[in-house]
Amino acid sequence: MDDSGNPQDIVVPPVEGVSGGGTAYGWTDGGVQVPSPLKGSIDPTEFPTADLVHVWCMPSTANVGPQEMPRNLESVNLLAGRNERESIQIAMRPKVSWGGPGNAGVVQVQCSDLCSTSGDRLVVGQSINMRRVVPILGVPDALAPLDLPVSQISLLPGHLLQETDAIFFLLPSPPHAGASRETTAVWVSIDVPSAQPPGQYEGEIIITAIKADSEVPAHCLGKAEKHQLYRDLQSCLEMLDPIDGKLVDEVVERVKSATASLRSVLLSPLFSEYLSLNGPVDMMEEDAISSLSVRVKINMTVWDFILPVTPSLPAVFGVSCISDTVIEDRFGVEHGTDEWYEALDQHFKWLLQYKISPYFCRWGDSMRVLTYTCPWPADHPKSDEYFSDPRLAAYALPYSRSVSGGNATKDYMQKQIDILRTKSHWKKAYFYLWDEPLNLEQYESLRSIASEIHAYAPDARVLTSYYCGPSDAPLAPTAFEAFVKVPKFLRPHTQIYCTSEWVLGNREDLVKDIVSEIQPENGEEWWTYVCMGPSDPHPNWHLGMRGTQHRAVMWRVWKEGGTGFLYWGANCYEKANVPSAEIRFRRGLPPGDGVLFYPGQVFSSSSQPVASVRLERILSGLQDIEYLRLYSSRYGREEGVALLEKTGLYLGPERYTQEHMPIDAMRGEIYNACRS
């Protein structure tokens, strides 16, 4: 094969994707010396995979883009509590080409269970998941599903960059054979169940260069095939198990039925390759290939701290914001139909795994909003199922007058509130009525609606997001002083004051002014949000920001003392009429703003949403808060803040780590301090 192009015989400095930054995770933080590549036609089954492919590991905070350069391969050492997800990335970059047109070669990626010395397991497909990192606008972001436990990945020789609009983009461009070789990353996530026994777990990921026409081993079944095989074998067991005390004739009939069922399983296409074998299976060929593989060792310490099922910090994220027809149009469902309810139900349940409390949204004029977490009325069984879910930290309730054209009457609204107030989950409820009111008229309208709600339920919580006071009401001499005085102006019509981090800038001292206006003794809370701003270098979730910059959003919330967080939208891409349509960011917004996951049909035949790298980092940040709360519960909040600063993790909105090592330092210190 022609392997001309970039010989790469240089020592490469450490770089992290678009914005540079964190690469340290216990691995050497420098490049590797690339030897001269092999020449001529290459049969991957005759060479060690290490001679054909660079393989190395990167932390979850690294932006491993197509131009990421190789590093040395070292073992992965992870620390996780129970009910926690930890992720790493396996990066691969071809040294030579052995594939056909359009790809540098194919590798097989196989993941084993993680096993402890006592025999406990973290099982692939249940606790362990692998996804391929797909660049969006050239930035690694989408996490496309891979088959488990074995998947084949085509390594690319390079992409032909395509000119696109600054906001609109396509997924990904066709490979260009003449371009330099590209780095491909696999995102490996390990979810530790709450009941998982603590201890040391070990496993490995095996990467093998193979021929392009190689088949995935037949024993690596898909989920549906596994489920069917399980049901068939379970049926056989059920036939034979309860035979004690049975009559002989009945036992004979049961054995005959079980034998027939087992025979049908063995004669099924799942085992077709073994039907003609009369002797033992020759495993020499498979063993020979395996001996050429690259093995990435994974060691995980699971300790006995259990992250709470209900997140300590409510993180409420909008779905289908700006227009509630984003889901309806793309998936071809009509509002109010069974298919519409199913689509909303899928998004709700899927987001709960990220410790997010979702709400759906419809916008009216002047930034009035109708927000609701559950599309069913309060007396529907689904309502109690949604609101009682322990993973849900907060839920939004609709109030029809907040959007023009609502058809609910006051009597209906009062009935809904009366039902919910009898439930134990009522303490999770809030009303989000108006987004960023700007003038006295809007503030007064908000106060009027809140008054009606409090007439029904004096203990109801109203959330108001804002970045300024009313422009035509002189609350204070300066704009910021007016911003600080908003709680006094809205009291008692708002209980959750949700302020923009953009307004604060890098002035942490101003947080004290805001907090001093809040009255927690009267049930008031201070939440924050990001929307468009703040921009680099402050923490936010824009595409292309550093991985630690994404994760630092939650570090900032915790250090500033916020008790909740609001994000305006998680799937606010442009509307489309088919599920697989290309994703287009909205004009006028920073790339990635308002888009944290993608429709699954864009990447595969699956209808499951596809998470972004940024969404995974949000989860990690929320988990960090649980660690910090544990530490502070034992040693005090001041000591928790001191730990942030001592480890170099986070000092302020422009002073936080750009590398991953301080994250491990913080978590490790909490582990050592709190494990007894």
Side-chain angles (χ1 to χ4, degrees):
M1 295 290 180
D2 180 17
D3 58 286
S4 60
N6 182 7
Q8 304 174 5
D9 47 355
I10 56 174
V11 177
V12 184
V15 178
E16 181 197 337
V18 171
S19 296
T23 57
Y25 201 45
W27 295 283
T28 303
D29 200 22
V32 296
Q33 186 71 35
V34 182
S36 299
L38 300 170
K39 303 292 184 180
S41 179
I42 297 170
D43 182 349
T45 63
E46 297 179 358
F47 293 91
T49 297
D51 290 349
L52 308 179
V53 186
H54 293 288
V55 178
W56 71 102
C57 303
M58 298 290 279
S60 59
T61 50
N63 289 332
V64 185
Q67 301 310 312
E68 185 74 24
M69 288 296 149
R71 290 166 175 76
N72 294 319
L73 174 62
E74 299 184 18
S75 297
V76 177
N77 297 291
L78 300 173
L79 168 69
R82 293 183 283 176
N83 192 34
E84 181 177 11
R85 175 180 296 177
E86 264 286 84
S87 299
I88 58 163
Q89 298 179 80
I90 309 299
M92 297 169 286
R93 188 179 182 93
K95 297 180 180 181
V96 297
S97 294
W98 69 92
N103 68 70
V106 178
V107 293
Q108 178 176 286
V109 181
Q110 181 172 0
C111 185
S112 74
D113 295 345
L114 298 185
C115 305
S116 71
T117 54
S118 58
D120 299 305
R121 288 176 175 266
L122 292 164
V123 179
V124 174
Q126 297 177 16
S127 294
I128 306 173
N129 190 26
M130 296 192 302
R131 290 165 289 176
R132 182 171 182 166
V133 183
V134 178
I136 305 295
L137 285 181
V139 179
D141 193 56
L143 298 176
L146 290 173
D147 293 331
L148 292 172
V150 180
S151 187
Q152 292 185 6
I153 298 176
S154 295
L155 302 182
L156 300 177
H159 273 191
L160 177 64
L161 297 179
Q162 181 174 347
E163 295 292 334
T164 61
D165 186 283
I167 299 299
F168 301 129
F169 63 93
L170 299 172
L171 289 170
S173 303
H176 176 50
S180 62
R181 299 182 183 98
E182 291 190 357
T183 295
T184 296
V186 173
W187 188 279
V188 182
S189 294
I190 304 172
D191 289 281
V192 182
S194 296
Q196 190 72 28
Q200 302 289 331
Y201 290 77
E202 296 182 355
E204 61 184 2
I205 294 176
I206 304 170
I207 297 164
T208 310
I210 61 174
K211 296 179 180 179
D213 56 354
S214 298
E215 295 183 358
V216 174
H219 63 272
C220 302
L221 309 178
K223 183 177 292 186
E225 293 170 317
K226 287 181 181 178
H227 181 64
Q228 184 59 47
L229 181 59
Y230 173 82
R231 291 183 60 184
D232 291 342
L233 294 176
Q234 186 182 49
S235 175
C236 295
L237 183 62
E238 290 172 350
M239 293 176 193
L240 295 174
D241 196 23
I243 60 174
D244 292 341
K246 301 293 183 181
L247 297 176
V248 174
D249 290 345
E250 183 177 351
V251 172
V252 170
E253 288 302 316
R254 286 177 178 269
V255 171
K256 288 181 178 179
S257 297
T259 301
S261 296
L262 284 173
R263 182 175 291 108
S264 66
V265 170
L266 293 174
L267 293 176
S268 70
L270 299 177
F271 301 102
S272 59
E273 65 177 309
Y274 305 116
L275 297 181
S276 61
L277 295 177
N278 297 318
V281 177
D282 185 3
M283 302 298 291
M284 183 176 297
E285 181 180 354
E286 182 176 338
D287 291 341
I289 294 176
S290 179
S291 67
L292 301 176
S293 304
V294 173
R295 296 175 179 267
V296 181
K297 302 294 183 181
I298 299 178
N299 305 299
M300 170 172 274
T301 300
V302 175
W303 63 300
D304 54 5
F305 167 51
I306 302 178
L307 272 66
V309 176
T310 304
S312 302
L313 183 112
V316 299
F317 285 34
V319 181
S320 294
C321 288
I322 295 184
S323 170
D324 66 350
T325 64
V326 168
I327 289 178
E328 295 171 17
D329 293 343
R330 179 171 282 273
F331 298 103
V333 296
E334 184 178 345
H335 185 94
T337 62
D338 290 344
E339 292 77 15
W340 180 79
Y341 282 107
E342 289 173 5
L344 267 59
D345 188 59
Q346 179 193 43
H347 283 78
F348 170 80
K349 292 177 178 177
W350 185 81
L351 281 167
L352 287 178
Q353 69 176 300
Y354 288 96
K355 297 187 180 293
I356 286 169
S357 298
Y359 65 86
F360 302 98
C361 185
R362 185 165 82 242
W363 291 70
D365 60 319
S366 302
M367 302 294 280
R368 289 183 291 177
V369 288
L370 176 69
T371 58
Y372 56 96
T373 293
C374 179
W376 287 276
D379 55 353
H380 193 283
K382 272 287 189 178
S383 171
D384 210 45
E385 176 188 325
Y386 267 46
F387 298 152
S388 298
D389 194 307
R391 297 169 296 172
L392 189 72
Y395 62 81
L397 292 177
Y399 191 75
S400 63
R401 282 196 56 207
S402 61
V403 173
S404 57
N407 58 3
T409 65
K410 289 184 178 181
D411 290 341
Y412 175 81
M413 192 67 242
Q414 184 171 2
K415 178 184 176 182
Q416 299 297 296
I417 292 177
D418 287 345
I419 292 172
L420 294 172
R421 289 187 72 198
T422 65
K423 307 290 186 178
S424 60
H425 53 62
W426 169 252
K427 60 182 179 295
K428 300 181 185 180
Y430 68 93
F431 290 86
Y432 179 21
L433 308 172
W434 211 294
D435 184 63
E436 298 179 336
L438 299 177
N439 54 47
L440 193 58
E441 180 184 3
Q442 294 177 7
Y443 270 88
E444 288 297 341
S445 295
L446 168 61
R447 289 157 62 105
S448 174
I449 300 171
S451 294
E452 292 182 10
I453 292 174
H454 288 133
Y456 305 145
D459 58 344
R461 299 188 303 166
V462 173
L463 179 152
T464 302
S465 61
Y466 61 97
Y467 65 87
C468 66
S471 59
D472 48 356
L475 299 184
T478 68
F480 188 80
E481 286 177 298
F483 175 76
V484 172
K485 297 300 181 182
V486 166
K488 183 177 180 180
F489 183 70
L490 278 178
R491 188 175 293 121
H493 307 291
T494 291
Q495 287 66 48
I496 301 175
Y497 298 93
C498 189
T499 64
S500 168
E501 292 282 16
W502 167 76
V503 176
L504 300 178
N506 62 358
R507 296 283 306 279
E508 283 195 297
D509 57 304
L510 298 178
V511 172
K512 298 178 181 178
D513 297 332
I514 297 173
V515 173
S516 66
E517 293 289 330
I518 306 299
Q519 299 178 358
E521 67 276 9
N522 294 326
E524 293 181 357
E525 295 186 54
W526 180 55
W527 292 17
T528 54
Y529 68 93
V530 295
C531 176
M532 298 184 65
S535 57
D536 190 67
H538 291 194
N540 207 327
W541 296 325
H542 298 164
L543 197 69
M545 285 182 165
R546 300 176 185 275
T548 55
Q549 195 170 2
H550 295 147
R551 194 158 172 172
V553 171
M554 291 303 165
W555 303 339
R556 178 174 189 172
V557 171
W558 189 84
K559 185 168 187 266
E560 292 177 349
T563 56
F565 193 85
L566 168 75
Y567 192 61
W568 69 279
N571 66 332
C572 298
Y573 37 74
E574 290 284 359
K575 292 191 293 183
N577 293 321
V578 292
S580 60
E582 65 186 24
I583 303 298
R584 297 175 181 266
F585 291 144
R586 291 182 179 270
R587 291 183 179 274
L589 300 177
D593 193 64
V595 179
L596 297 175
F597 66 88
Y598 305 96
Q601 293 89 337
V602 174
F603 301 90
S604 70
S605 59
S606 173
S607 62
Q608 280 289 312
V610 165
S612 67
V613 163
R614 293 167 293 130
L615 184 58
E616 290 288 340
R617 291 167 180 163
I618 292 170
L619 171 62
S620 296
L622 288 166
Q623 293 175 162
D624 292 338
I625 285 180
E626 304 296 355
Y627 274 77
L628 291 164
R629 289 190 78 256
L630 171 66
Y631 189 82
S632 298
S633 69
R634 297 200 179 189
Y635 303 103
R637 178 171 170 79
E638 290 185 1
E639 287 299 315
V641 173
L643 180 62
L644 282 183
E645 297 176 348
K646 182 179 72 172
T647 57
L649 186 71
Y650 183 88
L651 287 82
E654 294 181 352
R655 297 178 298 153
Y656 51 87
T657 181
Q658 296 182 5
E659 301 192 1
H660 196 95
M661 192 65 75
I663 298 176
D664 278 350
M666 179 272 289
R667 288 158 50 87
E669 185 144 345
I670 293 175
Y671 166 67
N672 290 323
C674 299
R675 62 180 173 177
S676 58

